[in-house]
Amino acid sequence: MMQADPRGKGDQPVTTSTASTPVPDLPGEAKRPAPASPSTARALNDRLALRLLQEHGPLTAARLKELTGLSRPSVADLVERLGAAGLIEVVGASEQRRRGPNARIYGIVADRAHLAGLDVRTHSVSVLVTDLLGATLAEASAPIDPAASTGAAVARAVDLLGDTAARAGVPELRAVGVGAPGLVTPGTGELRDSTGLPPWHRALVPVLRERFAGTVLVENETNLAAVAELRAGAARDRDTFVLLWLGHGVGAAVVLDGALRRGASGGTGEIGFLPVPGTRALPGRDSCEGGYHSLASSAAIEELAAHHGLVADAAPHEPPAAALVRRAVRDAEAREATVRARAGAFLDALADHLVLGAASVVAILDPGCVLLGGETGRAGGTHLAARVEARLARLTPLATEVRATALGGGAVLRGALLMALDHAQEELFGG
């Protein structure tokens, strides 16, 4: 969610004044919106103040008056209301020589609610527990045995969350954000059956909802990574971009005008099913073999690396392609000319593969920016991004910058936490 700048002229602060006499509609004129009621205006002012405290940190009443444009009595009223609601508290005193209420510094009560984010992978789960302002209280990761039963795998993930919250001293979670691979049904947040994904993924969310009293929210992992990059990563200066996810499989997330786009069935970005010329077959309803997946998945990149004589050992639970690309980036700066040439040839061939999907997205959406994410995209860094950008410039007249993602392996977990944070703050700050 993009936050408006309260200092801009387009975002004038809400006042508590209302018109006393209704204005009749003129012939042919659109009906004017009714003025806000005093209670609505107060709620909007309270929410504005909370957002400013969230964005800027603790503030004095005088500073709140400057940022909101409200009168001193109005600010005093909202400070009293928010304090009585347990949402803000005095956290210090101004260093300036003042007396009275203006010297107090107010901040959001961080322990008013606690949140958690989960990054659910095929063979592992990571957990992050924070307060209402997003400060980390505890975190943990655990492998999930691929041979484990669905019940055992679910129990391991649920216990990890419960144990991490207990270690953080958190008795109750207000919201839990879950990032997982696969399709998420809009509206219900249900993970759909997906070929190649373990059944415990779908079984996990209902158990989380039974075990924890707070709201459990689910989103596709690539979408959450894009949200994190938008808010705190490589796309902070962009409100429109596409994140191309390169991991075990391949996917994409689309952000247009600051909003994540999911599509009618939640399938926006299922780029692995994109038919690509020159592949051995066409993708089908139940398989993306023969689509873009056959050029950009980890298995496809492994095959390409073998053709160029590249080998590398992957870290546990890491797609083998990530280790191969990381090795190629390192070798591209080696002293030996033959080593550099081999690595450069592999990275060039990989960029030739990747640009086909990127060009298709650019031709339809014109996002102006494509991020290369996932384990393999991160491993390629600026070396791979520059190669894809150069090829895009030859394939399309639409100027497009290609960047590596900035948040590393924690992007999905960060996005899951942001989803939970937004939900909790909307509930508490919504008035």
Side-chain angles (χ1 to χ4, degrees):
M1 181 185 296
M2 300 291 287
Q3 296 179 358
D5 185 347
R7 295 164 293 182
K9 293 183 178 180
D11 295 300
Q12 294 297 321
V14 179
T15 64
T16 57
S17 63
T18 58
S20 58
T21 305
V23 179
D25 295 334
L26 298 177
E29 183 182 50
K31 188 175 182 180
R32 299 179 184 180
S37 68
S39 61
T40 300
R42 284 194 296 270
L44 291 172
N45 289 339
D46 290 354
R47 187 170 182 177
L48 173 59
L50 287 164
R51 291 298 182 193
L52 288 169
L53 289 167
Q54 178 191 3
E55 179 182 351
H56 295 277
L59 299 169
T60 62
R63 183 61 176 148
L64 277 171
K65 176 181 177 297
E66 292 175 10
L67 292 172
T68 62
L70 296 171
S71 67
R72 184 176 286 107
S74 294
V75 170
D77 287 345
L78 74 83
V79 165
E80 184 177 353
R81 284 193 303 272
L82 295 175
L87 293 174
I88 68 171
E89 62 185 350
V90 176
V91 296
S94 172
E95 294 180 358
Q96 297 179 0
R97 294 183 178 179
R98 293 181 179 177
R99 293 182 180 179
N102 284 342
R104 298 170 188 158
I105 299 176
Y106 300 92
I108 292 174
V109 179
D111 61 1
R112 181 70 168 75
H114 297 97
L115 321 159
L118 270 73
D119 180 4
V120 179
R121 301 298 178 98
T122 306
H123 302 307
S124 66
V125 175
S126 296
V127 175
L128 178 65
V129 177
T130 76
D131 63 21
L132 185 57
L133 293 177
T136 299
L137 302 177
E139 54 188 321
S141 296
I144 302 292
D145 185 351
S149 67
T150 295
V154 168
R156 178 127 168 101
V158 172
D159 288 346
L160 182 69
L161 175 57
D163 292 345
T164 307
R167 186 157 48 86
V170 173
E172 182 177 309
L173 292 168
R174 180 98 186 194
V176 178
V178 180
L183 289 170
V184 178
T185 303
T188 67
E190 181 185 5
L191 269 173
R192 290 164 55 182
D193 250 335
S194 299
T195 303
L197 295 178
W200 68 266
H201 280 194
R202 290 195 72 221
L204 173 62
V205 173
V207 176
L208 288 173
R209 287 175 174 154
E210 291 176 4
R211 172 83 175 267
F212 298 95
T215 303
V216 177
L217 309 157
V218 187
E219 183 56 87
N220 172 267
E221 61 177 354
T222 307
N223 286 346
L224 290 179
V227 169
E229 294 291 343
L230 172 68
R231 302 268 287 271
R236 280 176 295 179
D237 60 338
R238 296 276 182 172
D239 66 358
T240 296
F241 67 96
V242 170
L243 188 151
L244 185 60
W245 182 271
L246 306 169
H248 285 287
V250 59
V254 176
V255 174
L256 301 178
D257 300 323
L260 181 67
R261 307 296 178 176
R262 298 176 178 83
S265 63
T268 294
E270 286 295 318
I271 197 172
F273 287 90
L274 177 72
V276 177
T279 55
R280 293 185 287 267
L282 288 174
R285 182 182 183 277
D286 299 317
S287 173
C288 52
E289 291 299 329
Y292 187 57
H293 176 91
S294 65
L295 294 181
S297 67
S298 181
I301 296 172
E302 287 178 74
E303 186 177 331
L304 184 66
H307 177 74
H308 287 83
L310 272 175
V311 294
D313 294 325
H317 311 304
E318 177 186 52
L324 292 164
V325 171
R326 190 164 51 245
R327 168 69 184 275
V329 168
R330 186 172 64 247
D331 286 356
E333 298 179 350
R335 290 186 177 182
E336 296 179 42
T338 55
V339 173
R340 288 200 310 273
R342 181 183 62 189
F346 165 70
L347 291 172
D348 285 341
L350 177 56
D352 288 339
H353 283 200
L354 299 182
V355 76
L356 295 178
S360 299
V361 169
V362 167
I364 296 170
L365 297 176
D366 187 19
C369 181
V370 173
L371 304 184
L372 299 184
E375 296 89 346
T376 305
R378 293 196 307 272
T382 56
H383 285 266
L384 187 58
R387 283 172 162 85
V388 175
E389 181 175 314
R391 284 156 177 78
L392 262 181
R394 296 196 293 266
L395 289 178
T396 174
L398 306 177
T400 307
E401 184 179 2
V402 180
R403 303 175 179 177
T405 50
L407 296 180
V412 175
L413 192 58
R414 183 85 172 262
L417 195 281
L418 285 170
M419 178 170 60
L421 190 66
D422 285 348
H423 177 83
Q425 291 182 348
E426 183 70 23
E427 282 190 336
L428 291 170
F429 299 171

